[in-house]
Amino acid sequence: MVQKVIEVSGVSKSFGGVVANKDISLEVEDGKITGLIGPNGSGKTTLFNSIVGYHPIDEGSIKFEGREISKLRVQEIARLGLLRTFQQTRIYGEMNGVQNMLISIPHRKHGFMDMFGRNGNEDEEKAERLLEFVGLYSKRFLPSGDLSFGQQKLLEFAMALMNEPKVLLLDEPTAGINPTLINGLIDRLKRANTEFGITLLVIEHNMRVIMNMADKVYCLAHGEMLASGSPDDVQNNQRVIDAYLGAH
Ligand code: ADP
Ligand code: MG
């Protein structure tokens, strides 16, 4: 039986007079990579913020593993194993990679105090293994602010993995990254899915990227769900093509 880890039904969210999300429904299947595309301003980030509890929704329901989470707070949702990354990176530039990794684990069951306790070495080893996984091992002691923007995105991805999420929501992971690093990042995202078993919901503005990774794709336009289906179906959907062309 197909397990739905995230079920969004009829979600609406406005900011003042701006309807950012209108009657949105979307499902994320366990173990899969689901894509969320749409022109700038179509409401993708707003939907992420609603799912992870960053702001209350006006209407609708959001379930995680069958449990209603739309009234829970960010920390409570994160503790259930549902995490997101941001469109803008959130790392400390003066700290090195390992240090950023170690401060990125508030969502585990233990508090940040185990950094100083007997689990300290374990965390450090894990941090180093994950930095190796994203290809930043040799740069792990450099101030993170000295990394390229693409490398900072890889670090941010590794920081999210430190929390061992069940489901990870990635907001435009490849935005602003040069093409050589993009392929490496896509490869890492796919491996996190297959090797670590992390379910992914990925926002992408770049259609080529998402078509190359996703099992299923949803497309938003003007806050509404325009289309959903296999990458091929969505890519060839005339409404989707028009929405993208109209946006430029
Ligand atoms: P996307 O991520 O697809 O580019 P967003 O979800 O960021 O789109 O934005 C959708 C719409 O909601 C935009 O018109 C945006 O200006 C508006 N919006 C998003 N967040 C806020 C906010 N905190 N306050 C006011 N308007 C917002
Ligand atoms: Mg956005």
Side-chain angles (χ1 to χ4, degrees), residues 45 87 171-172:
T45 297
Q87 206 166 339
D171 197 345
E172 302 205 23

Side-chain angles (χ1 to χ4, degrees), residues 27-115:
E27 290 174 346
V28 176
E29 286 181 19
D30 193 22
K32 295 278 171 65
I33 300 179
T34 303
L36 178 60
I37 63 170
N40 280 329
S42 59
K44 306 180 297 294
T45 297
T46 300
L47 186 61
F48 263 29
N49 286 336
S50 297
I51 292 172
V52 301
Y54 187 74
H55 53 214
I57 55 176
D58 301 333
E59 267 178 76
S61 150
I62 302 173
K63 288 185 179 162
F64 178 62
E65 296 185 320
R67 172 183 173 180
E68 184 66 37
I69 57 165
S70 60
K71 301 276 192 305
L72 299 185
R73 284 171 303 177
V74 173
Q75 300 300 329
E76 294 169 316
I77 292 170
R79 271 198 294 274
L80 297 175
L82 178 55
L83 276 192
R84 61 89 56 91
T85 64
F86 292 88
Q87 206 166 339
Q88 307 295 325
T89 56
R90 297 197 169 184
I91 59 174
Y92 291 95
E94 331 77 62
M95 290 190 185
N96 69 38
V98 174
Q99 289 167 331
N100 269 299
M101 292 289 279
L102 290 175
I103 59 158
S104 70
I105 42 178
H107 303 306
R108 288 187 332 166
K109 289 183 190 67
H110 311 292
F112 65 91
M113 290 303 284
D114 20 358
M115 258 174 77

Side-chain angles (χ1 to χ4, degrees), residues 122-136:
E122 238 172 66
D123 286 345
E124 216 162 305
E125 276 167 27
K126 192 166 123 190
E128 295 202 343
R129 278 203 311 276
L130 286 171
L131 286 168
E132 195 172 7
F133 173 73
V134 298
L136 291 176

Side-chain angles (χ1 to χ4, degrees), residues 145-243:
D146 290 355
L147 299 174
S148 73
F149 182 72
Q151 289 166 338
Q152 292 185 14
K153 296 280 254 195
L154 282 163
L155 173 59
E156 203 201 12
F157 175 51
M159 286 162 65
L161 296 180
M162 269 305 266
N163 294 281
E164 300 177 39
K166 289 182 196 162
V167 180
L168 186 58
L169 276 52
L170 295 139
D171 197 345
E172 302 205 23
T174 67
I177 301 189
N178 76 52
T180 11
L181 268 181
I182 285 188
N183 289 335
L185 180 60
I186 294 174
D187 180 54
R188 262 44 166 253
L189 295 177
K190 284 182 174 171
R191 283 180 57 199
N193 174 250
T194 53
E195 293 173 28
F196 304 154
I198 302 175
T199 301
L200 301 177
L201 176 59
V202 186
I203 290 181
E204 258 301 335
H205 186 60
N206 184 332
M207 270 232 231
R208 184 187 65 80
V209 168
I210 206 66
M211 294 307 155
N212 184 6
M213 322 180 24
D215 299 296
K216 181 170 185 186
V217 176
Y218 288 87
C219 180
L220 287 179
H222 304 293
E224 297 188 54
M225 192 61 77
L226 194 65
S228 66
S230 71
D232 265 352
D233 285 350
V234 170
Q235 194 169 18
N236 295 315
N237 183 308
Q238 193 56 46
R239 284 156 56 114
V240 174
I241 295 166
D242 291 345

